[in-house]
Amino acid sequence: MAKSNKPIVWGLFAAGGTVSAFVIPVMILITGLLVPLGVFGSEAMSYDRMTAFAGNWLVKVILFGVLTLTLWHAAHRLRVTAHDFGLRNDGPIAIAVYGLAGLFTAVALFALLSI
Amino acid sequence: MSQRQITFEVLRYNPEADSAPWIQTYSVPCEEEWVILDAINYIKDHLDSTLSYRWSCHMAVCGSCGMTVNGEPTLSCKAFLRDYKGSKIRVEPLTHFPVERDLVVVLDDFMEKLQSVKPYLMPKTEKPVEEGEYKQTPRQLKNYKQYTMCINCMLCYAACPQYALNPEFIGPAALALTHRYNLDSRDAGRSERQEVVAQHEGVWECSFVGACSEVCPKDVDPAGAIQQMKIASTVDWHLEHLMPWRRK
């Protein structure tokens, strides 16, 4: 039997898991709670400031990494969860979840490059 | 010493006579310091000599007496009765294996898988005996020692939901032992073992539920071993595909 090609998606899954564990909780805290509550002032995430922030190439790279790796992590997690719940048609599920992750990776790339 | 009367509901099955497994109950006068296996032995010695089960060492070394106790894969010689409240305990054979008779399961599937991962030292060059032993530092020993603790009790296979879904999965204990030899400084057989490990039915069938490590009576942590092998296999894959000129 041949060696599996799963390392492609699993590598992204593992990297995304690490990123999610370290970065996402604090991102939710900042963007979902502290900023809306006005802790950093009402202009903290204004359009102008955020465009300027995301205009920096280093920020673009980091944002692209955090957004897409998290997506690929979620995609693979959903595929495995479906498997654990007994959904046996793995092929279509894999195409659906990785397709979405790929689509939004392209969207993120396009959006970041257009800033 | 205080005694406690416990009702044991034991699964009985004789494939030659019974059309289906059935439950037989035994009332056992248990001593407080007994383990489950003591009660099973009491049944065999005093109540019903026809009950079949495996056991040998009674000290969590031989790995023979794995059973399902109240639904949990359990090493019956390591499960103290004082940890079981109530007056009823259900004892069944390990799940995910065919039943040979009563609490005895057929282990052929695991034995084949264990052989397939070549769980023995494969040194780069075989040294003649006169040249002495293969030396190893305490640090090199510590690297893999945890994975040598496996006693092949099969609790991890009984706990593994992926093995239940796909019996082709190489499974926790065999993979943990693969890892044990891969990590050994005296060994050079990893690339041979990868032929099995890196297949779909190798590490990739595992979805890291972690039940194997929870039930392991020897703290081997097969789930951890499998995840480490997934990382190594992922690195391998990228080296093989992105740098094909690189020799193994």
Side-chain angles (χ1 to χ4, degrees), chain A residues 1-14 76-77 79-81 83-86 88 90, chain B residues 162 165 168 191 194-195 198-201 204-205 207 209 227 230-231 233-234 236-238 240-241 248:
Chain A
M1 268 184 283
K3 286 185 180 177
S4 173
N5 282 326
K6 245 188 179 169
I8 314 170
V9 284
W10 191 84
L12 291 166
F13 166 75
H76 188 71
R77 185 77 264 168
R79 179 189 178 191
V80 173
T81 304
H83 177 80
D84 286 346
F85 274 110
R88 287 288 85 87
D90 186 52
Chain B
Q162 300 308 338
L165 289 171
E168 296 296 311
S191 65
Q194 277 302 104
E195 297 300 322
Q199 290 172 12
H200 267 302
E201 287 72 25
W204 300 114
E205 196 59 39
S207 64
V209 171
Q227 306 322 302
K230 280 185 189 172
I231 295 174
S233 301
T234 301
D236 281 355
W237 189 93
H238 284 100
E240 275 172 34
H241 288 83
K248 270 186 198 172

Side-chain angles (χ1 to χ4, degrees), chain B residues 24 36 43-44 79 84 87 110 140 160 188 205-206 209 247:
Chain B
Q24 185 162 9
I36 299 277
I43 296 172
K44 178 88 174 172
Y84 292 83
S87 56
F110 169 72
Q140 287 169 327
C160 176
E205 196 59 39
C206 164
V209 171
R247 295 206 137 202

Side-chain angles (χ1 to χ4, degrees), chain B residues 138-151 173 176-177 179-181 183 213 216-226 228:
Chain B
R139 182 191 287 258
Q140 287 169 327
L141 170 68
K142 195 169 166 244
N143 237 349
Y144 66 84
K145 189 160 183 228
Q146 169 191 350
Y147 306 109
T148 68
M149 305 307 282
C150 176
I151 55 174
L177 283 163
H179 199 45
R180 174 249 174 277
Y181 287 97
L183 291 177
S213 295
C216 179
K218 306 298 279 186
D219 297 321
V220 170
D221 191 11
I226 295 172
Q228 288 175 29

Side-chain angles (χ1 to χ4, degrees), chain B residues 32-237:
Chain B
E32 191 55 33
E33 69 280 5
W34 275 10
V35 290
I36 299 277
L37 181 61
D38 292 316
I40 304 286
N41 280 340
Y42 183 93
I43 296 172
K44 178 88 174 172
D45 294 344
H46 302 280
L47 304 176
D48 185 351
S49 62
T50 66
L51 181 65
S52 295
Y53 56 101
R54 288 198 183 102
W55 76 287
S56 176
C57 76
H58 199 289
M59 50 194 281
V61 172
C62 75
S64 311
C65 69
M67 299 169 190
T68 306
V69 179
N70 287 350
E72 285 276 320
T74 306
L75 201 59
S76 60
C77 69
K78 213 187 166 204
F80 283 90
L81 288 176
R82 59 174 169 261
D83 296 326
Y84 292 83
K85 306 295 170 219
S87 56
K88 252 189 205 169
I89 294 175
R90 182 178 277 248
V91 182
E92 293 156 301
L94 288 177
T95 46
H96 308 160
F97 293 99
V99 177
E100 191 151 322
R101 189 181 169 126
D102 298 340
L103 302 171
V104 178
V105 293
V106 184
L107 296 174
D108 300 358
D109 181 55
F110 169 72
M111 292 306 172
E112 273 171 35
K113 283 171 179 165
L114 187 61
Q115 280 188 16
S116 75
V117 297
K118 306 188 176 172
Y120 38 81
L121 284 178
M122 293 191 275
K124 207 166 193 170
T125 44
E126 206 71 52
K127 271 203 311 190
V129 179
E130 305 83 64
E131 283 184 30
E133 54 279 89
Y134 295 91
K135 290 197 173 145
Q136 195 164 54
T137 66
R139 182 191 287 258
Q140 287 169 327
L141 170 68
K142 195 169 166 244
N143 237 349
Y144 66 84
K145 189 160 183 228
Q146 169 191 350
Y147 306 109
T148 68
M149 305 307 282
C150 176
I151 55 174
N152 300 349
C153 67
M154 302 295 96
L155 299 195
C156 51
Y157 284 76
C160 176
Q162 300 308 338
Y163 184 61
L165 289 171
N166 179 7
E168 296 296 311
F169 177 33
I170 298 290
L175 287 169
L177 283 163
T178 313
H179 199 45
R180 174 249 174 277
Y181 287 97
N182 285 347
L183 291 177
D184 194 312
S185 59
R186 300 163 295 179
D187 181 82
R190 180 169 174 271
S191 65
E192 267 186 62
R193 294 187 196 102
Q194 277 302 104
E195 297 300 322
V196 176
V197 167
Q199 290 172 12
H200 267 302
E201 287 72 25
V203 289
W204 300 114
E205 196 59 39
C206 164
S207 64
F208 199 9
V209 171
C212 51
S213 295
E214 275 179 40
V215 299
C216 179
K218 306 298 279 186
D219 297 321
V220 170
D221 191 11
I226 295 172
Q227 306 322 302
Q228 288 175 29
M229 282 196 283
K230 280 185 189 172
I231 295 174
S233 301
T234 301
V235 172
D236 281 355
W237 189 93

